[in-house]
């Protein structure tokens, strides 16, 4: 049994309650760790440490902070195998994916913001010969970062890196479902010379720790990634306190497949977009709209490709899908598959739990599931399932598919497959989403703005956007 501790003021300490939650390895369906059941007292301790550290960290030069962040990135990189295995054991994703995507991306996040922060300019405006304005940026102070369980270290570092780079002190809460790699990060930060109290990591339930962070008067900004309902709750508390907020929320992303697409490429990319990380990526394309002229052809090619995606022990290289992150989520996905049948959908592939032989007999696995025959506006096609479940929906005209694609309350990402350049740009401009991919999926350039519209979020991460979010701006106007 591994006991995880909070990381406060540069030290690993027990939660004040001395109470622990059960941490599961989802592939085994078994408890394997103890996670601090922290509360507002631990948050208070972390805030005090952060406030103490603020003056020192805030007055370091940009270059000094960048160097520390680069050392943290290198520290993770040096322990790549160990971090990847920890991520897989905690989250359930295949080990090859943790090695290829999650941990390398955590390293990239830190390196990117270490470098990007060196290039952030202030503004300068000359009004006339005698008047000019310049803009100063200063750290906000103590900020809160709250992240989910689907891409644990990847999204945790995506938030803390820009916050630290701009001179803030951070109170961070990973999901209590996947706390392991965030916990290991404390060791790396100490070895990298991050001053005590600059980053504090508190584990526990959202309703206790997350909500105590949101309410805390001295935490001046909240950067949150998670579900839309939680985002609404955070806004309800933080907005009247005039906290800065960045909210990256749920998605229900459409894939628009036109009959003039590059067929082979489209099938392969659509399968990856649907089932990577068991469909537990906010950017996954779970509503697949196919032009009726190629519907049947696409359906059979897609099914053949999905059949090759073995579900199995995350430690086996041959497993393309691993376990679902928690029992609760596993049951939620299964309940949506049941709802699909009630709504008149036909399950044409998968449709239930998978029993994996050997050490994973009790794990939480679900077969990649394809459903057809549902209307675009039924619950299955409107609500986020966040699992290996997709629907196929035929369309005839461009106008019709744009209407169906935009019909949900979400607006995170959309993907368009067509070889017609004019159509690609025309449809992209009409998508109600913060991100549009054309003939590709999950190609990420960290310089680009990242985020959603409608109920998928408020604000943008990525590039200079996140660096600006973690600062206060002051315009200075000078008359000579
Ligand atoms: P949740 O909203 O349940 O939780 C996210 C984080 O918020 C967790 O750390 C959680 O803690 C915490 N939390 C829960 N309640 C509160 C509260 N009242 N106040 C403050 N914090 C709270 O999301 P999931 O972890 O289930 O993640 C899946 C969701 O995240 C999906 O909807 C997905 O689309 C979205 N997501 C969005 C992304 C984007 O960039 N737009 C990227 C990745 C995921 P605890 O674990 O204890 O509940």
């Amino acid at each position: 049994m591994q006991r995880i501790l909070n990381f406060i003021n540069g030290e690993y300490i027990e939660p004040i309650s001395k109470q622990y939650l059960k941490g599961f390895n989802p592939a085994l369906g078994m408890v394997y760790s103890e996670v601090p059941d922290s509360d507002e007292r631990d948050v208070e301790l972390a805030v005090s440490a952060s406030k103490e550290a603020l003056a020192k960290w805030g007055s370091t030069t940009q270059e000094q902070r960048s160097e520390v962040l680069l050392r943290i990135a290198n520290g993770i990189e040096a322990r790549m195998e160990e971090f990847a295995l920890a991520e897989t054991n905690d989250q359930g994703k295949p080990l090859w994916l943790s090695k290829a995507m999650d941990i390398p991306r955590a390293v990239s996040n830190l390196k990117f913001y270490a470098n990007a922060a060196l290039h952030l300019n202030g503004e300068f405006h000359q009004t006339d010969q005698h008047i000019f304005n310049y803009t100063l940026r200063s750290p906000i102070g103590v900020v809160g970062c709250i992240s989910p369980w689907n891409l644990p270290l990847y999204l945790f570092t995506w938030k803390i890196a820009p916050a630290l780079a701009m001179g803030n002190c951070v109170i961070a809460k990973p999901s209590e479902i996947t706390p392991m790699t965030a916990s290991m990060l404390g060791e790396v930060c100490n070895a990298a010379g991050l001053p005590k109290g600059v980053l504090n990591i508190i584990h526990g339930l959202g309703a206790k720790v997350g909500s105590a962070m949101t309410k805390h008067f001295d935490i001046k900004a909240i950067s949150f990634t998670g579900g839309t309902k939680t985002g609404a709750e955070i806004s309800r508390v933080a907005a009247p306190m005039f906290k800065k907020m960045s909210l990256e929320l749920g998605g229900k992303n459409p894939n628009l497949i036109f009959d003039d697409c590059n067929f082979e490429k489209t099938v392969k990319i659509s399968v990856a977009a649907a089932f990577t990380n068991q469909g537990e990526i906010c950017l996954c394309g779970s509503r697949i709209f196919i032009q009726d002229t190629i519907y049947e052809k696409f359906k059979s090619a897609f099914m053949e490709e999905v059949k090759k995606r073995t579900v199995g022990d995350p430690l086996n290289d041959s497993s393309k899908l691993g376990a679902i992150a928690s029992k609760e989520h596993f049951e939620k996905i299964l309940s949506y598959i049941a709802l699909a049948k009630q709504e008149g959908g036909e399950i044409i592939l998968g449709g239930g739990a998978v029993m994996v032989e050997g050490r994973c007999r009790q794990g939480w696995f679900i077969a990649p599931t394809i459903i057809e025959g549902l209307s675009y506006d039924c619950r299955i096609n409107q609500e986020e399932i966040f699992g290996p479940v997709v629907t196929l929906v035929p369309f005839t005209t461009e106008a019709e598919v744009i209407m169906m694609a935009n019909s949900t309350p979400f607006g995170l990402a959309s993907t368009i497959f067509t070889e017609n350049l004019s159509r690609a740009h025309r449809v992209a401009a009409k998508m109600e989403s913060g991100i549009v991919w054309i003939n590709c999926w999950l190609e990420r350039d960290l310089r680009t703005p990242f985020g959603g519209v409608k109920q998928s979020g408020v604000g943008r991460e990525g590039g200079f956007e996140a660096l600006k979010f973690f600062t206060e701006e002051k315009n200075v106007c000078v008359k000579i």
Side-chain angles (χ1 to χ4, degrees), residues 146-150 173 175-176 206 210 224 226-227 230 249-250 282 384:
I146 304 176
S147 52
W149 49 257
N150 62 327
K173 188 196 107 55
S175 168
E176 100 279 357
F224 169 79
T230 315
L249 310 175
C282 52
E384 186 183 40

Side-chain angles (χ1 to χ4, degrees), residues 7-10 44-60 65 139 141-143 164 166-171 193-200:
F7 180 72
I8 298 178
N9 207 19
E44 195 56 59
L45 213 56
V47 171
S48 305
S50 271
K51 281 166 74 177
E52 194 116 319
L54 199 54
K56 197 171 157 204
W57 183 243
S59 62
T60 49
R65 291 196 292 275
V142 180
V143 299
L164 295 175
M166 296 318 290
N168 300 281
C169 287
V170 178
I171 316 289
L194 185 73
K196 288 177 189 304
V198 172
L199 172 65
N200 301 280

Side-chain angles (χ1 to χ4, degrees), residues 146-151 155 173-177 204-207 210-211 214 224-228 230 233-234 248-251 282 384 386 412 450 456:
I146 304 176
S147 52
W149 49 257
N150 62 327
L151 301 168
L155 290 175
K173 188 196 107 55
S175 168
E176 100 279 357
I177 295 168
L205 298 168
S211 107
T214 311
F224 169 79
T225 297
T228 294
T230 315
E233 171 60 16
I234 288 175
E248 298 296 336
L249 310 175
C282 52
E384 186 183 40
F386 211 54
L412 188 54
F450 178 93
S456 287

Side-chain angles (χ1 to χ4, degrees), residues 69-282:
L69 287 183
L70 288 175
R71 287 201 294 272
I72 298 173
N74 293 337
I76 299 173
E77 208 162 21
R79 292 170 62 182
M80 180 70 74
E81 297 281 323
E82 201 188 329
F83 268 95
L85 183 61
E87 201 71 296
T88 285
N89 286 337
D90 228 21
Q91 207 276 342
K93 68 182 72 210
L95 181 57
W96 61 262
L97 187 63
S98 295
K99 284 185 195 171
M101 179 178 76
D102 290 74
I103 310 303
R105 174 60 193 273
V107 171
S108 300
N109 288 339
L110 287 149
K111 287 187 178 171
F112 175 79
Y113 279 112
N115 291 313
L118 295 171
H119 301 279
L120 183 65
N121 288 327
E123 289 180 43
F124 174 82
H125 302 277
Q126 187 163 6
T127 311
D128 59 29
Q129 274 185 319
H130 309 288
I131 301 176
F132 62 90
N133 297 270
Y134 62 92
T135 310
L136 296 174
R137 286 190 179 278
S138 52
I140 295 174
V142 180
V143 299
C145 297
I146 304 176
S147 52
W149 49 257
N150 62 327
L151 301 168
L153 193 65
Y154 174 139
L155 290 175
F156 193 76
T157 49
W158 184 232
K159 296 187 175 300
I160 64 167
L164 295 175
M166 296 318 290
N168 300 281
C169 287
V170 178
I171 316 289
K173 188 196 107 55
S175 168
E176 100 279 357
I177 295 168
T178 53
M180 193 59 83
T181 47
S183 160
M184 290 161 65
L185 187 64
E187 296 160 21
V188 176
C189 289
N190 279 348
L194 185 73
K196 288 177 189 304
V198 172
L199 172 65
N200 301 280
I201 303 167
I202 310 182
H203 302 279
L205 298 168
K208 279 193 197 172
V209 179
S211 107
M213 286 167 64
T214 311
K215 279 182 206 146
H216 201 293
F217 179 77
D218 290 326
I219 298 181
K220 300 292 183 193
I222 297 283
S223 173
F224 169 79
T225 297
T228 294
K229 242 170 103 179
T230 315
E233 171 60 16
I234 288 175
S235 297
R236 191 186 64 75
V237 177
M241 297 174 80
F242 305 105
K243 291 192 184 200
K244 260 187 133 174
M245 271 185 286
S246 166
L247 304 173
E248 298 296 336
L249 310 175
K252 185 75 179 174
N253 311 303
N255 277 15
L256 287 66
I257 300 174
F258 291 93
D259 62 5
D260 55 7
C261 65
N262 176 325
F263 190 80
E264 309 294 324
K265 213 166 86 179
T266 301
V267 171
K268 284 216 155 61
I269 297 171
S270 298
V271 173
F275 299 112
T276 301
N277 208 46
Q278 302 76 242
E280 295 166 334
I281 300 183
C282 52

Side-chain angles (χ1 to χ4, degrees), residues 88 91-98 100-102 268 271-281 284 304-324 354 356 365-368 388 441:
T88 285
Q91 207 276 342
K93 68 182 72 210
L95 181 57
W96 61 262
L97 187 63
S98 295
M101 179 178 76
D102 290 74
K268 284 216 155 61
V271 173
F275 299 112
T276 301
N277 208 46
Q278 302 76 242
E280 295 166 334
I281 300 183
C284 275
E304 283 316 303
E305 200 57 41
V306 176
K307 282 180 195 160
K308 295 182 201 158
R309 299 232 145 189
T310 325
V311 179
D313 187 336
L315 299 187
N316 294 344
D317 278 349
S318 58
S319 303
K320 296 294 176 244
L321 279 81
I324 300 301
V354 174
V356 173
F365 296 86
I366 294 182
W441 176 74

